[in-house]
């Protein structure tokens, strides 16, 4: 903690990286860093990175991401000024730092509906969508995860995400060879389209349905198949056009096979999707 305020920029950045690792799995450590006053130094590193230490912003943003995993610290971090600075980092030319900033915003939004609105109000959504086009798969996955989380229980954010053009790049990401990108783009489509008729229609119009069915039929990875089935479920719900298209594409037979999976999340999502397609 003392090294966070060191006059040596390299030492400060290394301290942020070390705290990031120390807080990666331990909730008590996360709370300790926040309550011991670690946030101001981390925010300062985001705002004033040293040109001689290129990993400084990335380390600080990654550390805040792990700190925000603590349910009791989300509000403190969001109202400390960190959220707005993270959005500024999203806009920077430092793509590695932007990816970590997206991850930190994602972490702040998990199980916190107020932070989902704060992220949108701070103007993050267009910059998260821009990051979907990054050549780096980690940046793509972190931005997709943040957009996915922001859309849960927030119809306004769903509208903003689609209006700013996220659905087409998310569909393109389904074709990625990277499993995290496949999984998180599927999650994002699942959540962005849930109970949102316009987004369901847009997803169909940009070609999401055949791509989802292709991934459902070719992937062998349960962590990918589960959100794909969830997306099919949400896209089919109360949408006759999507339901008919999924049936025409052969999704029903694939889902019947996946329902036999012993993995609870895959079994549950496949069953829910199958029930939507088989509703009279």
């Amino acid at each position: 903690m003392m090294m966070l305020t060191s006059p040596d920029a390299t030492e400060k950045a290394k301290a942020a990286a070390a705290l990031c690792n120390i807080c990666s799995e331990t909730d008590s450590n996360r709370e300790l860093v926040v309550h011991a006053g670690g946030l101001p130094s981390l925010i300062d590193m985001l705002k004033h990175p040293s040109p001689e230490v290129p990993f400084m912003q990335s380390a600080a943003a990654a550390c805040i991401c792990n700190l925000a995993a603590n349910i009791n610290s989300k509000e403190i971090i969001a109202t400390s000024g960190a959220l707005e600075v993270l959005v500024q980092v999203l806009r920077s030319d430092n793509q590695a730092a932007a990816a970590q900033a997206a991850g930190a915003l994602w972490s702040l939004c998990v199980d916190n509906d107020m932070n989902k609105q704060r992220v949108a109000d701070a103007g993050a959504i267009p910059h998260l969508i821009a990051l979907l086009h990054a050549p780096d798969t980690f940046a793509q996955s972190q931005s997709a995860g943040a957009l996915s989380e922001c859309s849960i229980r927030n119809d306004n954010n769903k509208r903003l995400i689609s209006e700013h053009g996220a659905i087409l790049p998310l569909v393109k990401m389904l074709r990625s060879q990277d499993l995290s990108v496949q999984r998180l783009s599927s999650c994002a489509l699942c959540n962005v389209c849930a109970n949102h008729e316009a987004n369901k229609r847009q997803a169909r119009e940009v070609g999401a349905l055949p791509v989802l069915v292709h991934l459902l039929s070719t992937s062998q990875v349960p962590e990918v198949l589960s959100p794909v089935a969830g997306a099919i479920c949400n896209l089919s719900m109360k949408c006759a056009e999507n339901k008919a298209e999924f049936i025409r594409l052969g999704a029903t037979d694939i889902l019947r096979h996946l329902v036999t999976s012993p993995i609870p999340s895959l079994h549950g999502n496949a069953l829910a999707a199958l029930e939507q397609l088989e509703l009279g």
Side-chain angles (χ1 to χ4, degrees):
M1 286 290 294
M2 291 178 64
M3 287 172 62
L4 284 178
T5 57
S6 168
D8 184 288
T10 301
E11 195 169 81
K12 283 200 298 187
K14 286 182 177 179
L19 286 170
C20 176
N21 292 332
I22 289 168
C23 296
S24 63
E25 300 290 342
T26 311
D27 226 29
S28 58
N29 286 351
R30 295 167 183 153
E31 284 199 73
L32 181 62
V33 171
V34 171
H35 290 292
L39 275 175
S41 295
L42 293 169
I43 293 170
D44 185 66
M45 281 187 257
L46 292 176
K47 291 171 74 172
H48 307 292
S50 168
E52 285 127 26
V53 189
F55 70 92
M56 177 180 278
Q57 278 188 317
S58 295
C63 187
I64 291 173
C65 176
N66 284 349
L67 295 178
N70 176 262
I71 193 74
N72 300 318
S73 298
K74 293 179 188 288
E75 185 78 9
I76 297 169
I77 295 168
T79 57
S80 69
L83 192 152
E84 291 78 10
V85 178
L86 288 165
V87 175
Q88 291 175 20
V89 176
L90 273 183
R91 303 169 61 181
S92 74
D93 294 331
N94 186 339
Q95 193 172 98
Q100 295 291 356
L105 293 171
W106 176 8
S107 185
L108 281 167
C109 291
V110 174
D111 296 326
N112 192 300
D113 289 350
M114 181 65 74
N115 283 351
K116 293 170 189 175
Q117 193 56 51
R118 286 175 173 139
V119 166
D121 291 344
I125 285 175
H127 304 296
L128 288 167
I129 293 169
L131 208 56
L132 296 176
H133 299 278
D136 176 60
T137 56
F138 181 71
Q140 292 174 12
S141 65
Q142 295 304 289
S143 55
L147 290 166
S148 177
E149 195 64 42
C150 280
S151 67
I152 297 173
R153 295 186 300 276
N154 193 309
D155 287 344
N156 185 58
N157 284 0
K158 289 176 186 177
R159 177 184 60 79
L160 287 173
I161 289 167
S162 61
E163 285 181 354
H164 282 91
I167 291 180
L168 181 57
L170 287 169
V171 172
K172 289 180 178 178
M173 288 163 61
L174 294 173
R175 299 187 178 97
S176 171
Q177 297 302 304
D178 185 276
L179 295 179
S180 290
V181 172
Q182 291 179 5
R183 177 175 65 85
L184 291 166
S185 58
S186 301
C187 287
L189 286 168
C190 177
N191 291 330
V192 168
C193 294
N195 302 311
H196 199 288
E197 297 312 308
N199 289 358
K200 292 176 190 178
R201 182 175 62 253
Q202 187 181 147
R204 180 178 70 253
E205 290 171 350
V206 301
L209 278 58
V211 182
L212 285 165
V213 174
H214 176 75
L215 191 53
L216 192 75
S217 66
T218 57
S219 178
Q220 302 294 316
V221 183
E223 292 81 7
V224 171
L225 289 167
S226 178
V228 170
I232 291 172
C233 175
N234 284 350
L235 282 161
S236 302
M237 194 176 295
K238 298 180 181 178
C239 185
E241 295 91 343
N242 286 0
K243 176 180 170 180
E245 178 70 0
F246 277 127
I247 292 171
R248 186 188 69 78
L249 290 165
T252 307
D253 287 342
I254 306 167
L255 289 166
R256 286 196 187 106
H257 171 70
L258 293 175
V259 163
T260 64
S261 171
I263 298 168
S265 63
L266 177 53
H267 166 79
N269 284 352
L271 181 61
L274 187 61
E275 287 174 347
Q276 285 302 317
L277 296 184
E278 292 184 336
L279 278 172

